[in-house]
Amino acid sequence: MKICCIGAGYVGGPTMAMIAKQCPDIQVHVVDLNAKRIAAWNSDTLPVYEPGLDEVVREARGRNLQFSTSVDEAIAASDIIFISVNTPTKTFGMGAGRAANLEFIEKCARQIARVSHGHKIIVEKSTLPVRTAEAVGRILNSSDNEATFDVLSNPEFLAEGTAVQDLINPDRVLIGGESAQAIETLAGIYARWIPREKILTTNLWSSELSKLTANAFLAQRVSSINAISALCEATGADVDEVARAVGTDSRIGPKFLKASVGYGGSCFQKDILNLVYLCEHFGLREVAAYWEQVVSMNDFQKRRFGERIVKTLFNTVSDKHIAIWGWAFKKDTNDSRESAAIHVCRDLLREHARLFIYDPRVGEVQIREDLVHSFADASGHIHPAHQKLIDENVTIARDCHAAADGAHAIAVMTEWDEFKNLDVGKIYSNMLRPAFVFDGRNILDRKLYREIGFEIHTIGRS
Ligand code: UDX
Ligand code: UDX
C-alpha cells in the first residue's frame, strides 16, 4: 500500500512519520509546496521541534518515509491521500476574521482530481468546517477521468510538544465517513499499534464537528480558569489552589486547568472562530456569542498581563529594559503561532519598552517576523514608527541570564523547564532595583525569588 500526505507541517510531518515507523511495509510520501520545508525534513535539523521526533524520522526516512515537492507524482502513485494543509482564518471578504480559508483544501482537491486514476481514499486531516467533505467530494467526483474516490474525515488530536507520545498512545482515533470499506482500510493502518476500542467511527459531519468541539472545550477550560484567575487576584484566593480543589471533582478532572497568560497555538482561536462563524451561518446567534466569549476572555487575559506590568512598574515602561523569557506558545515546541508572548510584547513595545527576548527553540528571524505581523494591518503594511520600535527596541538574547542582565523586570511567557533551574541569586545581582518578575506561567519558585529580594507577580494570586 502507498500513502501520501499533502502538507508537511506540524500535523502532517509527525503523523506520517509515525505511520511510517509503525508500518514498515507501507510507503509513506509527504509532499509540500514549500521546498525549504521539505529540504529541512530531509536534513538533520527538522523544521518541527518535537521531543522524540528525530528518532522516529531517522528510523523510517529512506526506508519507507520520503519527503519531496513532487505533489502530482505522489498523488498519482498513492492509494490513500491525506490532506493536511493549513486552513487559516480568512483575512478578507466574507467571513473575514472568522471563517476558515478553504482555498488550499479546494486546490488540493482539484489537483487530486486532475492527476488521479483508479480508486483512492481521500482523508481530511486538516481541521475543517462541518460539511467540507461534501465540497471536497463534489470536486473530486466531477473530474472527467475514470478515477473514483471515498472521502474520510480523520482529524488529528495531537498536541504540540507531546506529539510523538500522543501519536503512539492517543486517547482515540476518530474516523468519519460513509464507506465502511474505506473506513476499515484506514482503521486497519491505525490498528497496527492502537487498540481497536480506541478507534471510533462516526458519520462525516460528526467527525468534522467533533474536532472543532474538542478544541473549543479545551480552550474553554483554559479561559474558564483564567477568568477565575482575575477574580483570585482581586480577592486574595490562589488560582492554583482553586484549580486543585475544583479538579479533584472526578466530573471536572484535573487536566487543562493551569491558569496562564493566555492560550496560544494555531488551533484554538482559529477553530473557535470557525465554530462561531458556523453558528452564525445557521442563525444560532446565542450559540455563536457563547463560544466567542472564550476568545474574548483569552484576549482579556493577554491584555491584562501587559497592563499589570506597566502599572506595577510605576505606570511607565518607556525606555525600561524588560527580559522576556519564552516565545513559543507552550514548552517543547518551536511553534510561536498565536503565542501570548507576541501580544504582550506588542503592547509593551507600544509603551516604548526595550525588550530582551530569549527562547530556547524559537529563533530571531521568527520572533521579528511575529512582531512585524502583530503590528501590520490586514494588507500586511506596518507603520514605519512600529518597524522602528521592532528594529531598535528588540534584542534577542542568548539565554535567560543575558536577557535579564541590567533589566528592570522579567516576564515569563512560556513554561520551559530550563527557566525553573536558574541561578536566581546571580540574576538578581545583575538587575536594577526594585527587581520585578511577572510569572505568566506560575512556574517559578515564588518563595525563593522573594527571599532573594525579587518582587514577584504571578497569575491568579494577589
Ligand atoms: C494544519 C492546520 O493548521 C490544522 O488546522 C490542521 O488540522 C492540520 O494542518 P499544521 O500542520 O500545524 O496544521 O500547519 P502548517 O505547519 O502550516 O502546515 C501546512 C503545510 O501545508 C505547510 O507546510 C504548507 O506549505 C503546506 N501546503 C499548504 C501545501 O503543501 N499546499 C497547499 O496548497 C497549502
Ligand atoms: C491543541 C489540542 O490540545 C489538540 O488536541 C489539537 O489537536 C490541537 O490544538 P496544541 O495547541 O498543540 O493542541 O497544545 P495544547 O496543549 O492544547 O495547548 C494550547 C494552549 O493552551 C497553549 O498555549 C498552552 O500553554 C495553553 N494551556 C493549556 C494553558 O494555558 N493552560 C492549560 O491548562 C492547558
Side-chain angles (χ1 to χ4, degrees), residues 6-12 31-34 37 84-87 104 108 125-127 160 266 270 337:
I6 309 176
Y10 283 86
V11 173
V31 291
D32 200 296
L33 292 176
N34 183 338
R37 212 166 206 187
S84 186
V85 298
N86 41 335
T87 49
F104 303 134
C108 283
K125 258 282 168 221
S126 304
T127 305
E160 289 176 37
S266 70
K270 165 176 75 86
R337 287 177 291 179

Side-chain angles (χ1 to χ4, degrees), residues 9-11 37 47-50 159-161 264-267 326-342 359 361-363 366 370 414 416:
Y10 283 86
V11 173
R37 212 166 206 187
V48 168
Y49 172 70
E50 277 292 341
E160 289 176 37
S266 70
C267 286
W327 193 258
F329 81 96
K330 64 187 283 199
K331 73 170 180 176
D332 291 338
T333 176
N334 61 342
D335 193 351
S336 59
R337 287 177 291 179
E338 298 296 337
S339 179
I342 302 172
D359 187 279
R361 290 284 165 182
V362 187
Q366 186 63 52
D370 289 339
T414 314
W416 287 100

Side-chain angles (χ1 to χ4, degrees), residues 79 86-87 90 119 143 154 174 176 186 197-198 225 240 243 355 378 395 452 456 462:
D79 308 294
N86 41 335
T87 49
K90 269 185 91 176
H119 185 74
S143 77
N154 171 221
L174 180 59
L186 184 59
E197 63 273 17
K198 283 190 172 181
I225 198 69
D240 286 338
L355 306 180
T395 306
I452 283 177
I456 180 162
S462 56

Side-chain angles (χ1 to χ4, degrees), residues 160 258 260-262 264 305 323-336 338-342 344-345 357-362 367 400 410-420 422 438-444:
E160 289 176 37
K258 186 80 194 146
S260 68
V261 55
F305 189 76
I324 303 293
W325 289 358
W327 193 258
F329 81 96
K330 64 187 283 199
K331 73 170 180 176
D332 291 338
T333 176
N334 61 342
D335 193 351
S336 59
E338 298 296 337
S339 179
I342 302 172
V344 172
C345 288
I357 303 170
Y358 167 64
D359 187 279
R361 290 284 165 182
V362 187
I367 293 175
C400 287
I410 297 166
V412 180
M413 307 305 303
T414 314
E415 72 281 23
W416 287 100
D417 289 337
E418 68 174 68
F419 300 168
K420 296 183 206 161
L422 296 163
F438 299 87
D439 184 356
R441 295 289 183 166
N442 289 0
I443 53 163
L444 302 180

Side-chain angles (χ1 to χ4, degrees), residues 381-401:
H381 180 259
I382 175 169
H383 193 280
H386 291 149
Q387 184 65 56
K388 192 160 174 262
L389 276 174
I390 297 171
D391 293 341
E392 294 179 1
N393 284 28
V394 175
T395 306
I396 308 302
R398 69 175 181 282
D399 59 26
C400 287
H401 286 275

Side-chain angles (χ1 to χ4, degrees), residues 255-275:
K255 291 183 185 166
F256 252 73
L257 286 180
K258 186 80 194 146
S260 68
V261 55
Y263 63 73
S266 70
C267 286
F268 282 181
Q269 175 161 314
K270 165 176 75 86
D271 291 350
I272 294 178
L273 292 176
N274 195 340
L275 189 65

Side-chain angles (χ1 to χ4, degrees), residues 46-297:
L46 302 183
V48 168
Y49 172 70
E50 277 292 341
L53 182 62
D54 281 7
E55 290 72 27
V56 176
V57 171
R58 219 174 291 135
E59 184 184 330
R61 197 174 55 192
R63 181 187 67 189
N64 63 326
L65 176 64
Q66 184 191 351
F67 295 93
S68 86
T69 52
S70 310
V71 185
D72 283 358
E73 288 86 334
I75 294 171
S78 298
D79 308 294
I80 303 182
I81 299 156
F82 289 82
I83 304 180
S84 186
V85 298
N86 41 335
T87 49
T89 305
K90 269 185 91 176
T91 54
F92 54 87
M94 270 165 57
R98 289 171 182 223
N101 182 349
L102 299 178
E103 180 186 336
F104 303 134
I105 295 282
E106 183 170 335
K107 282 183 180 150
C108 283
R110 289 186 188 279
Q111 192 168 12
I112 293 169
R114 184 163 49 78
V115 301
S116 291
H117 300 283
H119 185 74
K120 295 191 192 298
I121 298 175
I122 311 303
V123 185
E124 293 178 347
K125 258 282 168 221
S126 304
T127 305
L128 295 166
V130 184
R131 300 203 85 93
T132 305
E134 189 174 39
V136 168
R138 279 189 54 197
I139 292 170
L140 291 170
N141 291 316
S142 61
S143 77
D144 44 19
N145 56 26
E146 296 296 296
T148 54
F149 301 96
D150 282 313
V151 181
L152 300 178
S153 158
N154 171 221
E156 185 47 62
F157 294 100
L158 68 80
E160 289 176 37
T162 52
V164 173
Q165 275 321 306
D166 294 345
L167 287 166
I168 291 177
N169 187 22
D171 286 347
R172 80 309 211 175
V173 168
L174 180 59
I175 305 176
E178 280 159 3
S179 153
Q181 204 184 351
I183 291 174
E184 180 45 37
T185 306
L186 184 59
I189 294 177
Y190 288 113
R192 307 273 195 105
W193 77 97
I194 295 161
R196 277 278 175 179
E197 63 273 17
K198 283 190 172 181
I199 303 176
L200 313 182
T201 59
T202 64
N203 75 32
L204 268 175
W205 330 125
S206 301
S207 172
E208 290 179 334
L209 185 57
S210 298
K211 172 65 189 188
L212 288 181
T213 306
N215 275 347
F217 272 50
L218 290 168
Q220 181 197 40
R221 273 178 80 96
V222 179
S223 275
S224 296
I225 198 69
N226 281 343
I228 298 303
S229 79
L231 189 58
C232 286
E233 285 163 31
T235 57
D238 177 326
V239 76
D240 286 338
E241 289 178 357
V242 173
R244 197 175 51 195
V246 170
T248 43
D249 185 321
S250 63
R251 294 167 301 176
I252 296 173
K255 291 183 185 166
F256 252 73
L257 286 180
K258 186 80 194 146
S260 68
V261 55
Y263 63 73
S266 70
C267 286
F268 282 181
Q269 175 161 314
K270 165 176 75 86
D271 291 350
I272 294 178
L273 292 176
N274 195 340
L275 189 65
V276 167
Y277 184 71
L278 268 179
C279 295
E280 282 173 351
H281 174 80
F282 289 106
L284 300 167
R285 253 181 299 135
E286 288 78 3
V287 184
Y290 174 78
W291 287 108
E292 192 160 25
Q293 199 55 33
V294 172
V295 177
S296 307
M297 185 59 228

